[in-house]
Amino acid sequence: YTVFELTFSGGWPNYARILVEDVSAAYSVFFFIYIIAVVFAMFRIITALFLKDTLALAANDAETAVQEKMKQKQGYAQKLIEFFHAANTSHDGFL
């Protein structure tokens, strides 16, 4: 049996039991360390993928919020310009 088959077949206890019971109990240490390392690595990879997606969405939300704030500021500035143009009835640049 290969380590690939051991890892991804889902039947690793069947393969491990044969080695531990028939060959040597020392193989139980190998399987214990191997399974713990593989499970830990899988959890780390899955967590990293979720974290990557979450941070990408958060960055996109922050960028969208900044763009929205800039639009609000530009709209406010445009309203102020229109107000001052309307208030300048003599068209000399003074109120």
Side-chain angles (χ1 to χ4, degrees):
Y1 301 104
T2 64
V3 177
F4 178 81
E5 187 179 18
L6 177 75
T7 304
F8 294 109
S9 71
W12 67 268
N14 298 330
Y15 304 136
R17 181 172 292 129
I18 293 170
L19 282 175
V20 170
E21 290 177 354
D22 296 341
V23 179
S24 173
Y27 281 108
S28 62
V29 175
F30 165 75
F31 283 109
F32 179 76
I33 293 171
Y34 179 75
I35 297 302
I36 294 296
V38 168
V39 168
F40 179 74
M42 295 276 199
F43 277 127
R44 295 295 297 206
I45 290 169
I46 291 169
T47 302
L49 290 174
F50 281 124
L51 186 59
K52 177 185 164 200
D53 290 341
T54 302
L55 291 176
L57 287 173
N60 191 14
D61 287 345
E63 184 178 321
T64 304
V66 168
Q67 289 175 354
E68 191 66 35
K69 190 71 168 174
M70 290 298 292
K71 283 181 185 178
Q72 287 176 351
K73 285 183 178 182
Q74 288 173 350
Y76 184 68
Q78 186 63 33
K79 286 180 184 179
L80 281 175
I81 289 171
E82 290 172 4
F83 171 76
F84 285 117
H85 282 290
N88 185 11
T89 55
S90 63
H91 301 291
D92 59 357
F94 297 105
L95 291 179

